[in-house]
Amino acid sequence: MRVTVLGASGRTGIHVVRLLRGRGHQVRAGLRSRRRAEEVAGLGVETVVADVTADAEDLVEALAGSEVVISAIGAPDPDQASVDLVDRDGVITAIRAAEKAGVSRFVLLSAQFADSPDQGDRLVRSILMAKQISDSILRRSSLNWTIVRPGTLTDDQPSGHVKIAGHLEPGRVSRADVAAVMVATLEEPLTENQGFDVIGGDIPIPSALASFS
């Protein structure tokens, strides 16, 4: 598949890019600016400026020709204005651009409790509320969508094992394992038009996705 990764130079996005390349997909690394190109240099991928906070028409052009968009974008800091700009408005811009560009599949990195912010940690509730809005826009879009809601992200080594369900108890999960889940959804029809939580667990990722319902 031809896949554009938004947030490709981020701590989760870079894992997504590497895994896609390893599976033989054609990868376009979407970056907020050319200055970030060196962060994906050497991975054998095309780079394109895809700033979700800039001109929407430029983003349509950046996504043109892609079959799939995987969004791993997130606000660089927890300031509410930044969160609203990126996690809410930026993701919505990306969704609308994907529709206009003729993209068929959109996989979105969200967060656990984004579907029920009042049940999440009070310290991040405003972030969850921003994500809830963009998640709901994706669900109502014309795209074939998947929303991945990980628990607290860590930079631990990948285990290849997780726990997946519509709703789970609070937990932690490595960015590398979340990236592997996002990439694996492209090969698992059961994840189409579905949203689910993912935390660390003991089930191999392909099996966890195949048993999801």
Side-chain angles (χ1 to χ4, degrees), residues 2 4-6 28 48-50 58-69 93-99 101-103 106:
R2 186 170 179 81
T4 295
V5 181
L6 299 177
R28 181 184 294 163
V48 63
V49 174
D58 287 345
L59 191 57
V60 173
E61 185 176 343
L63 301 183
S66 300
E67 299 169 73
V68 180
V69 168
T93 296
I95 293 165
R96 298 306 188 209
E99 290 180 307
V103 173
F106 198 108

Side-chain angles (χ1 to χ4, degrees), residues 11-33:
R11 287 188 290 169
T12 304
I14 197 73
H15 288 295
V16 172
V17 170
R18 291 191 181 109
L19 289 168
L20 287 169
R21 281 289 295 154
R23 296 196 181 197
H25 295 292
Q26 297 180 54
V27 184
R28 181 184 294 163
L31 309 169
R32 289 192 69 179
S33 71

Side-chain angles (χ1 to χ4, degrees), residues 126-174:
S126 60
I127 298 175
L128 297 176
M129 292 176 68
K131 290 181 178 292
Q132 181 185 45
I133 293 170
S134 50
D135 288 6
S136 67
I137 294 295
L138 179 57
R139 287 195 298 270
R140 297 199 302 268
S141 74
S142 62
L143 300 163
N144 179 337
W145 56 270
T146 302
I147 298 172
V148 179
R149 299 189 299 264
T152 301
L153 293 168
T154 74
D155 291 315
D156 295 340
Q157 292 297 310
S159 70
H161 294 71
V162 295
K163 184 177 182 180
I164 288 174
H167 295 93
L168 291 168
E169 69 281 1
R172 297 164 62 86
V173 62
S174 74

